């Protein structure tokens, strides 16, 4: 009788937790990162190729291990020591977990539009300053009184003001080498540093973007944050696999630092969900440097979720395909909102619940059939 009562209490607690919504949401992207590095670590063929790596021996010491598990931990310790144990990670195609883009272009602007608006726009979209035809989930949330003045975006790529419709949006935005509009001493230092960068490219140094976001979060505690980093894609296009790996490792450290900051801040602790992804995939083997509609692999991406309302299902396997156009609706759903748009957008991902994960059974749902693999 006591055992049955305890089990009942446990199930009640799990049901209650499963129904909780996040009070805060951080959407974090890093541009053009392949699923292969996320799940397998460094690619041995690319790591050994002097055309892509300046010092192959040193790069191997930094990023190589014969064990796949150890190799990916070397590259992405936060992903594999925290996220993959306490959250959910989708996209390992070797384990029948696929995350795909739906837009036909498979480049950055269409990818970010699809991810944030839920609509894989079929009309031509170039990676250029052009006003977005579609409303993003950030705009949708910013118009909700519950999120008034509490949606912020910090982005490295200087095209984001157009993707996010800055001229008509209520989203607080800081993009590229734009000065941060704040009065703290640390932000003043940041502005002076980035103003002193001698050659400003279309993508701001990710570390400056991250620092701007972290300072704003610390000072203003926005409920929704979009942080988009871009140097991984820049180094990949340059054919520098060594620098691509270095930057991906740096991104992992930034996410870890932001998660630690959130979990040690009473405003965010155990009330905040992280949603991690990318805008597009890349080619395979020596074609890894580029991506577009005619490069195989360009539409293959990944997705990570971590937070108090995310069941700790770990690395997912046997999962029906998830699409990038489901991310916007999922972001709103995690906050207890229903994303509305005049477009035909994707539906929220059917995530496994706390009870299903605790039961350790094969899971089923509208979008996924999941075998838990911790």
């Amino acid at each position: 009788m006591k055992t049955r009562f305890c089990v009942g209490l446990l199930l009640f607690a799990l049901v209650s937790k499963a129904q909780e919504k996040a009070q805060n949401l951080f959407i974090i992207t890093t541009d053009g990162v392949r699923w292969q590095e996320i799940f397998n670590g460094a690619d041995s063929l690319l790591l050994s190729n002097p055309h892509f790596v300046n010092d192959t021996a040193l790069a191997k010491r930094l990023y190589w291990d014969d064990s796949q598990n150890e190799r990916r931990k070397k590259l992405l310790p936060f992903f594999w020591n925290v996220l993959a144990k306490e959250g959910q990670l989708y996209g390992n195609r070797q384990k029948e977990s696929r995350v795909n883009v739906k837009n036909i272009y498979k480049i950055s602007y269409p990818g970010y539009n699809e991810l944030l608006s839920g609509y894989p726009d079929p009309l031509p979209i170039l990676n250029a300053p052009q006003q977005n035809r579609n409303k993003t989930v950030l705009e949708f949330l910013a118009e909700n009184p519950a999120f008034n003045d509490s949606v912020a975006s910090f982005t490295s790529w200087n095209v984001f003001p157009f993707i996010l419709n800055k001229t008509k949006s209520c989203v607080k935005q800081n993009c590229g080498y734009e000065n941060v509009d704040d009065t703290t001493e640390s932000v003043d230092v940041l502005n002076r540093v980035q103003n002193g960068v001698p050659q400003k490219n279309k993508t701001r140094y990710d570390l400056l973007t991250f620092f701007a976001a972290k300072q704003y979060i610390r000072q203003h505690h926005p409920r929704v944050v979009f942080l988009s980093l871009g140097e991984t894609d820049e180094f990949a296009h340059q054919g520098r696999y060594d620098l691509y790996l270095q930057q991906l490792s740096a991104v992992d450290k930034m996410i870890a630092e932001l998660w630690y900051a959130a979990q040690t801040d009473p405003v965010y602790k155990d009330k905040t969900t992280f949603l991690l992804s990318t805008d597009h995939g890349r080619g395979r083997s020596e074609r890894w440097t580029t991506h577009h509609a005619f490069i195989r692999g360009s539409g293959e991406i990944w997705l990570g979720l971590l937070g108090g309302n995310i069941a700790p299902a770990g690395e997912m396997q046997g999962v029906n395909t998830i699409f990038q156009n489901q991310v916007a609706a999922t972001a709103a759903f995690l906050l207890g909102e229903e994303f509305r748009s005049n477009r035909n957008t994707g539906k929220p991902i059917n995530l496994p619940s706390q009870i299903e994960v605790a039961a350790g059974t094969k899971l089923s749902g509208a979008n996924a059939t999941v075998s838990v693999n911790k």
Side-chain angles (χ1 to χ4, degrees), residues 23 45 107 175 192 220 234 278 286 307 354 363 367:
Q23 293 186 29
L45 294 179
I107 58 176
C175 177
R192 283 189 277 121
H220 301 281
E234 295 293 322
T278 189
E286 294 198 353
Q354 300 279 357
L363 312 174
N367 298 309

Side-chain angles (χ1 to χ4, degrees), residues 7-313:
V7 170
L9 283 178
L10 176 61
L11 289 176
F12 176 79
L14 289 171
V15 167
S16 299
K17 192 168 183 62
Q19 292 174 341
E20 287 179 5
K21 303 303 178 185
Q23 293 186 29
N24 314 288
L25 178 68
F26 291 7
I27 303 171
I28 305 171
T29 64
T30 182
D31 202 300
V33 170
R34 306 192 309 170
W35 68 268
Q36 288 93 329
E37 279 76 32
I38 297 293
F39 293 97
N40 297 328
D43 184 311
S44 61
L45 294 179
L46 298 178
L47 199 62
S48 303
N49 190 332
H51 182 66
F52 300 127
V53 176
N54 280 356
D55 189 330
T56 56
L58 178 57
K60 286 178 183 177
R61 288 200 295 274
L62 289 172
Y63 300 115
W64 184 255
D65 193 283
D66 290 336
S67 163
Q68 179 199 48
N69 286 338
E70 294 304 313
R71 188 166 64 244
R72 62 192 188 181
K73 282 182 183 179
K74 263 190 168 185
L75 180 64
L76 301 167
F78 178 78
F79 267 66
W80 292 103
N81 290 323
V82 179
L83 193 157
K85 293 181 179 179
E86 300 177 14
Q88 298 170 21
L89 193 52
Y90 298 82
N92 189 346
R93 306 176 88 84
Q94 296 165 329
K95 294 187 175 181
E96 298 181 27
S97 175
R98 293 174 176 81
V99 187
N100 291 341
V101 305
K102 273 202 166 184
N103 74 80
I104 62 175
Y105 303 102
K106 300 175 177 61
I107 58 176
S108 289
Y109 194 134
Y112 287 119
N113 167 69
E114 181 180 341
L115 186 146
L116 292 171
S117 77
Y119 180 62
D121 200 326
L123 297 177
I125 304 178
L126 302 175
N127 285 343
Q130 54 182 315
Q131 209 64 35
N132 196 347
R133 296 180 285 264
N134 310 300
K135 176 180 284 191
T136 70
V137 68
L138 301 179
E139 294 175 78
F140 168 78
L141 291 170
E143 293 170 357
N144 185 329
F147 298 92
N148 186 38
D149 293 327
S150 200
V151 181
S153 168
F154 291 85
T155 53
S156 291
W157 189 32
N158 66 4
V159 177
F160 264 107
F162 298 88
I163 299 174
L164 300 179
N165 290 316
K166 185 171 183 176
T167 57
K168 64 183 183 68
S169 170
C170 299
V171 178
K172 163 74 177 180
Q173 296 187 39
N174 176 263
C175 177
Y177 283 97
E178 177 186 8
N179 277 354
V180 179
D181 183 17
D182 217 329
T183 56
T184 63
E185 182 179 351
S186 56
V187 167
D188 181 58
V189 172
L190 168 66
N191 288 336
R192 283 189 277 121
V193 168
Q194 65 178 23
N195 289 338
V197 173
Q199 185 174 352
K200 296 180 177 66
N201 299 317
K202 61 183 180 180
T203 301
R204 173 170 56 181
Y205 291 123
D206 284 340
L207 192 59
L208 296 176
T209 302
F210 171 72
F211 185 81
K214 187 178 177 184
Q215 293 303 309
Y216 185 86
I217 290 166
R218 181 181 294 164
Q219 291 292 323
H220 301 281
H221 293 101
R223 289 191 60 191
V224 179
V225 176
F226 176 58
L227 171 62
S228 182
L229 307 171
E231 285 189 277
T232 43
D233 189 64
E234 295 293 322
F235 290 130
H237 281 301
Q238 295 170 22
R240 290 297 305 274
Y241 192 65
D242 46 359
L243 299 185
Y244 165 80
L245 292 179
Q246 284 181 29
Q247 191 60 28
L248 181 52
S249 180
V251 167
D252 179 85
K253 291 181 177 65
M254 292 179 208
I255 296 171
E257 187 175 333
L258 196 57
W259 178 250
Y260 184 84
Q263 288 299 95
T264 54
D265 186 326
V267 174
Y268 290 120
K269 180 176 172 58
D270 298 329
K271 305 169 188 173
T272 304
T273 295
F274 278 24
L275 189 160
L276 315 175
S277 194
T278 189
D279 53 336
H280 55 72
R282 315 196 74 81
R284 301 169 185 172
S285 301
E286 294 198 353
R287 305 195 78 182
W288 75 279
T289 61
T290 191
H291 55 90
H292 52 68
F294 303 107
I295 296 290
R296 189 179 179 188
S298 298
E300 302 170 357
I301 60 172
W302 49 271
L303 176 74
L305 293 160
L306 177 66
N309 65 333
I310 301 299

Side-chain angles (χ1 to χ4, degrees), residues 283-342:
R284 301 169 185 172
S285 301
E286 294 198 353
R287 305 195 78 182
W288 75 279
T289 61
T290 191
H291 55 90
H292 52 68
F294 303 107
I295 296 290
R296 189 179 179 188
S298 298
E300 302 170 357
I301 60 172
W302 49 271
L303 176 74
L305 293 160
L306 177 66
N309 65 333
I310 301 299
E315 183 183 8
M316 312 303 283
Q317 61 180 355
V319 182
N320 293 341
T321 302
I322 290 170
F323 292 98
Q324 189 177 50
N325 73 333
Q326 295 179 266
V327 173
T330 302
F333 174 78
L334 290 169
L335 290 164
E337 302 292 333
E338 182 182 354
F339 180 46
R340 296 184 183 89
S341 170
N342 61 355

Side-chain angles (χ1 to χ4, degrees), residues 335-353:
L335 290 164
E337 302 292 333
E338 182 182 354
F339 180 46
R340 296 184 183 89
S341 170
N342 61 355
R343 305 294 194 186
N344 184 19
T345 60
K347 303 303 180 185
I349 300 165
N350 191 355
L351 302 173
S353 71

